[in-house]
Amino acid sequence: MAEAEDYRAKASKAMTRGVFTRPDPISAANYYKRAAESYKACGEYRLEKLHRIASADCQRGQGAYATAAAEYTRAAELVEVSATETLDVRRRECHRLHLDAAAMYEEMGEHGRCAESTLKAAFGLVMGMKANESLVHHDASNNNNSTGGGAALVAIEEAIEMFVGDPLNGKRDYRRTGVSRYAVDPTSTFSTTNNTTPASLELATKNIVTEAYAHELLYKVGNELLHRQMYESALYAYGAGTAILLHEGYATISLYKSYVSTCIITLAMGDVVAASREYERTHLQNTGYLTSRECALEEDLIRACTAMDDEALTVARSRTGPHKAALANLDPIIRELVMEVRVSGRAFVSCGGGSGSSNSDTKKNKKEGVAAPTSKKVSSLPPRGGGIVEKGEEEDLVARDTDAGFDEMDDIMNQMGLNDDDDGDDDDDDDGRNDNDDDEIDLR
């Protein structure tokens, strides 16, 4: 402790302007760093954090960006484990320090590390939240922004785009908040397919992060969002990871795993048509994917959901069935999610230990309330962003889907003249005869 106090005094003296001397930030930065190391040895983590920030500020002013970034990152890590500040203060401070580190990496031209620090800053806003808590209405200052999502979700999706620009992300339409930095029309609410140009596509290609295991970091982000039932945003993160693998051009197993994972997430959202379209137009165009075990799993899942066959779906996702090897290769959260996919509707339950029905409940309720597939969308889905639906509310949704499906089938039967509600003894013609064969054709 005495050594730390001595270093702090030397640092203060180095930054003091005299008659014949001027401040020396380089020496002060080194003294502040030594003082921080001494405080670390004493277990004084709050003092260590303050002196690391002071050292980083001195290094930043002198252009030593690498050292400054390391000090800011270490200070942010100390904030995460601090027990003296309140949770809101820790969130804001961790967010700010990681953003400072990202700015240093950007000055160095380290685009990948800048994106990683930006992602850490975004998740600093969700510090202390439950694993299955939604981010839709969360904000560090308890105020929602104009886009309808919390500041945490906005920051996370902006950080995802720093890895892969929206023009390269095949799942860009699932972005929930903000506007793409490559958008032609910055006034649009969300990034859309038609909001890009060849010039923006070329710029996004130049800025894509190609560092090792960058796609794995995006998959971790997607899995964290799945825990919070943010299926659309998770699909956006997985789309960015897939784009990195496609850009590399030599990934095989990881790319196949990404393909089947995005299919499972899309099926969990209840969008069988989108999953089938992507499978036919994108996944099947990869020759190597055709013979993979992931392709067989994806095909059986889509076929079972399209045919609304509960038994086929149970066989396809069985842990002891023909696709056990493909399922074992998936992330744990994706394996849990595939067990909650339904042949009709959205997977309401929370993954990773959240409340909801189990797989046995799904088996017990099979064959109940299954409506015929129609071109009209009759299901009332939860709000975008994965709001949690209570059990009683889920049963009401299933009942409404069933009633609407049978009503529509009755209307179709009436239009085709196949409805058998009449007893067949009524005669509505005006020919004076009591018969039921006025519409028959005399073939004699």
Side-chain angles (χ1 to χ4, degrees):
M1 182 63 70
E3 184 178 340
E5 295 294 335
D6 181 56
Y7 283 134
R8 184 175 66 173
K10 291 181 179 179
S12 299
K13 183 178 180 180
M15 291 298 295
T16 302
R17 181 182 296 273
V19 178
F20 300 104
T21 60
R22 58 182 180 179
D24 186 4
I26 298 297
S27 299
N30 292 330
Y31 286 132
Y32 279 130
K33 184 176 181 180
R34 293 180 182 179
E37 295 292 340
S38 298
Y39 282 125
K40 179 181 178 181
C42 298
E44 294 288 343
Y45 298 116
R46 181 177 178 275
L47 293 174
E48 179 191 355
K49 177 197 70 175
L50 295 175
H51 286 76
R52 289 196 182 277
I53 295 176
S55 175
D57 290 340
C58 293
Q59 299 284 4
R60 183 177 189 172
Q62 298 302 309
Y65 300 125
T67 306
E71 294 297 318
Y72 281 133
T73 303
R74 172 60 183 169
E77 293 172 353
L78 291 172
V79 171
E80 294 180 7
V81 299
S82 175
T84 57
E85 292 89 357
T86 63
L87 183 59
D88 287 340
V89 172
R90 288 165 54 199
R91 285 174 177 170
R92 289 193 295 268
E93 194 169 359
C94 182
H95 179 71
R96 179 181 59 82
L97 289 172
H98 277 305
L99 284 182
D100 288 340
M104 297 299 96
Y105 287 127
E106 188 175 8
E107 292 288 345
M108 297 168 56
E110 294 284 347
H111 186 64
R113 302 186 73 174
C114 174
E116 183 178 356
S117 293
T118 305
L119 195 59
K120 291 180 179 179
F123 275 97
L125 293 176
V126 301
M127 185 189 309
M129 290 182 62
K130 296 180 181 179
N132 59 352
E133 187 174 351
S134 177
L135 306 179
V136 176
H137 300 295
H138 173 70
D139 192 345
S141 59
N142 295 325
N143 294 319
N144 292 334
N145 56 25
S146 59
T147 59
L153 183 59
V154 175
I156 289 173
E157 291 188 338
E158 288 178 352
I160 292 174
E161 193 185 9
M162 293 196 67
F163 284 88
V164 178
D166 283 358
L168 296 176
N169 192 339
K171 302 297 183 182
R172 55 182 171 268
D173 291 333
Y174 290 95
R175 182 171 179 172
R176 304 294 295 153
T177 62
V179 182
S180 172
R181 61 177 62 190
Y182 303 96
V184 178
D185 182 13
T187 61
S188 61
T189 305
F190 301 107
S191 176
T192 58
T193 304
N194 298 325
N195 208 11
T196 59
T197 61
S200 61
L201 180 62
E202 181 180 359
L203 181 60
T205 305
K206 291 181 179 179
N207 292 332
I208 189 172
V209 175
T210 57
E211 296 185 359
Y213 303 108
H215 63 283
E216 293 291 345
L217 184 59
L218 290 172
Y219 292 155
K220 291 181 180 179
V221 175
N223 295 340
E224 188 68 23
L225 293 170
L226 285 176
H227 278 293
R228 294 176 166 83
Q229 289 191 330
M230 308 293 292
Y231 295 149
E232 287 83 359
S233 297
L235 202 56
Y236 177 65
Y238 265 86
T242 304
I244 292 179
L245 295 176
L246 290 173
H247 180 77
E248 293 175 351
Y250 53 81
T252 53
I253 303 288
S254 298
L255 180 61
Y256 302 160
K257 174 183 173 182
S258 179
Y259 277 165
V260 71
S261 297
T262 55
C263 171
I264 292 173
I265 299 174
T266 308
L267 292 177
M269 293 166 53
D271 198 346
V272 184
V273 176
S276 178
R277 184 188 298 115
E278 183 183 17
Y279 173 68
E280 295 174 357
R281 299 181 181 180
T282 304
H283 299 176
L284 291 183
Q285 307 309 314
N286 190 319
T287 306
Y289 185 65
L290 298 177
T291 57
S292 66
R293 57 193 182 186
E294 287 80 8
C295 181
L297 172 61
E298 182 178 0
E299 181 179 1
D300 285 353
L301 289 175
I302 293 177
R303 182 177 299 173
C305 291
T306 303
M308 306 189 79
D309 190 344
D310 243 339
E311 295 181 0
L313 180 61
T314 302
V315 173
R317 63 189 180 185
S318 174
R319 298 183 185 273
T320 59
H323 304 300
K324 59 181 180 180
L327 290 171
N329 191 41
L330 299 177
D331 292 331
I333 182 64
I334 300 295
R335 285 200 301 268
E336 294 179 21
L337 185 62
V338 73
M339 297 303 170
E340 307 300 342
V341 171
R342 309 187 329 175
V343 295
S344 176
R346 188 184 182 103
F348 294 105
V349 295
S350 176
C351 301
S355 60
S357 59
S358 61
N359 192 30
S360 60
D361 297 331
T362 304
K363 293 179 181 179
K364 182 176 67 174
N365 295 327
K366 68 180 181 179
K367 298 296 183 181
E368 295 181 4
V370 178
T374 62
S375 59
K376 295 170 61 178
K377 186 176 181 181
V378 298
S379 175
S380 298
L381 296 180
R384 291 188 69 181
I388 299 177
V389 178
E390 301 296 336
K391 183 176 180 181
E393 188 176 347
E394 178 182 354
E395 294 175 354
D396 293 339
L397 290 175
V398 175
R400 287 200 299 270
D401 287 353
T402 304
D403 295 339
F406 282 116
D407 289 342
E408 186 170 358
M409 284 193 291
D410 290 339
D411 293 339
I412 296 175
M413 297 286 283
N414 289 331
Q415 294 174 6
M416 298 176 62
L418 300 178
N419 200 326
D420 57 352
D421 291 341
D422 299 333
D423 18 0
D425 294 332
D426 298 333
D427 187 25
D428 297 331
D429 56 5
D430 298 329
D431 57 2
R433 295 180 299 170
N434 187 11
D435 53 27
N436 295 306
D437 55 355
D438 293 329
D439 294 335
E440 295 182 0
I441 299 176
D442 190 358
L443 299 179
R444 291 176 300 176

